[in-house]
Amino acid sequence: MSYVLEFFLGYSLPRITNFHNGCTKFQDLQQIRLRLSYGKCSAVQKCKKIQFLQQGLNLELADHADLHSFREEAEACDGRDSDILPHVQTLRNFPKEELFGKVVMVRLDLTILLREHKKQQSPAAGIISTIKYLHKAGAKLILISNWSVRADLQLLKLEYVAEFLSSELEQKVIPVEFGSGFEQSLMEDRHKSDIHLLENLSHFKQEQANSSEFSRRLSSGVDIFVNDTFFQSHKILASNVGITGFCYASIAGFHFDEQMSQLKKIIEMNKWPYFAIVGGNLAGKAAALLFLASRCDGLVFVGDAAFQIMHAFGLPVPMESVEQESLEAAHVLVEAAKARGVQIILPKDFWCLNDYYPSQMKIFPANHIMDGWKPVDVGPNTLEEMISVLSRCKKILWIGAVKFSSSHQESAGASNLAAMLYKLSQKNCDLIVVGKQACETIVGKSSHVTADMIENASIVWEFLKGRKLHGLLALDRAYPFELNWDALYANTTLPLVVDVGSGNGLFLTRMAKMRKDWNFLGLERNEKLVRRCLDHVSQSGMTNGYFIATNATSTFRSIVSSYPGDLVLVSIQCPNPDFNKTEHRWRMVQRSLVEAIADLVAPDGKVQAFIFFLRYPKVARADMSCVFLQSDVKEVGVRMKKEFMKYGKGKLTVMHDLEDITSHQDGWLNENPFGIRSDWEQHVIERGAPMYRLLLLKSSPSG
């Protein structure tokens, strides 16, 4: 099988290179990038290719015609950008006024704070700023964490940690044990702006097990959950996953947001050449290495990782340094790198230690290490080559240890490499350092390093493998884009009508045809249905209708709040009930959605509410906006009414005075006030079943 692949446009990718056969010119890589930018292949081909490689089912690559740029493949269908790192609600974008008087539980990383305190360093600004912001906003705070600090039992004591936080926050922090009186002690004077610290959660096995009952007790009385510990998001814990099922809003804190941004930088292809320095072991990291190969222009292997790649190339290495469990990852990576033309850099020489005379050290070529000597560090020629190549980079990722597992001393190679990277970080080179050892080595060069440093390498490897970050996925979603309303509607000053769960869009499109002086927006989770609706909008030339694929339960506020005109009507029709949960817990109508609707529906609609303008002119008023609810399941209708009455903040009232359309027995509307039925409503009516309809009005304060 040829290792040089002929791509479209007739351009040959260079052979994979290392220190044994010379370096690929950066000009060649840039030419490849320019040529690949014009290449196209189907999403199906790309996804199949990535699945084929990541599963490692066959080391033989597919036919040349099916091989395309791994960079394009990663962008097209690796899913890490949207699926693994979805856009979530953040404290920064959460309405500050909604925090006043609320009980807010904050999950923070006390291990970081206590370790910095022990080293007499300034605490992480993001963690402290989250707590101070919430307290200043008038929230009652409950701080939770599972912390550990080695060789210092004093820092493990609840009272000591509470005292330390009191000093940092300049506010009294009250220590609380998770006992029988826990809920009562927290709920006393509920609206008082106190700060409580719950005892160390690592003491509870239910925390690690993500116990539902433990999560319920933990969140008792809590309104809002703020997760400020992103680097534990790969773990499934009661305090970062289970708790979110019992709080009406779950959002990311300032520190969480900052840490997530650091991780995103690894996958951003904003600068090149982009090289990754990879150390440590490679076992179980095939998918992660493939992903790096799809994003980086070159990979530099150091430490134990270097031997695995050298062995995959067929180069002689000490067999005791070969990890059998890493062979598959090494071979899959080598084949993938060859396919894409990724430059691989391997050590040229090593410092070696004599097995019998430990004080003796000697430099050996990488391909000729004598018996009785074991590698402990990269040699001077290797460092020289590494520095020469990396000095041309505009972006560098360093992940994993440089030294070898057989060495118990500090690596001079790591120190020299860190010194070079520090100098580059002071210039126009983005530096990302991952792993405790690598971070400590860099910080040892200067306390003012211009780099993104992530000590927790585990979450980075999990992310690169494409694994789900459950602590992140448990948070409420936010709409990822800033909408250009002028591009969606011909006139953005017109009143807006939003249909939550718009389905196939028939109801909304018919309404849009009836009222040209209103804009209509459908929010629907089913992307396939949304695509069909948008096709119809485009083909019909409609200028006052649009549809968005999203979960409106958590994104309603972020989407609708930016609309320039007034929101005068929201409709929720026939939400699908989830009968798999106890008490028929329907997922669509939840507190976060109800509060957003109550806040955003205009209190003084500038035109008559069109739902009455023809059929019920007597009750139509110029200052009236509405919420329309209906379902063919009575329990759903009752629940929706209760949720809006409970969480509508007293801003919404049920319309009772329409005698010609209201049943005197139970208050449901007999008729649809719009005069236009949804397809499901029509189906229910045709089979003779009842519909349960409700109209909520929001009048101006003086109305």
Side-chain angles (χ1 to χ4, degrees), residues 631 633-643 668 692 694:
S631 174
V633 180
K634 187 174 182 179
E635 291 88 344
V636 175
V638 171
R639 176 181 168 81
M640 287 196 293
K641 178 180 178 181
K642 287 182 178 179
E643 293 293 295
W668 302 107
Y692 300 91
L694 199 65

Side-chain angles (χ1 to χ4, degrees), residues 35 142 227 333 407 444 671:
R35 291 176 182 269
I142 305 170
N227 192 343
L333 173 68
S407 174
E671 299 179 23

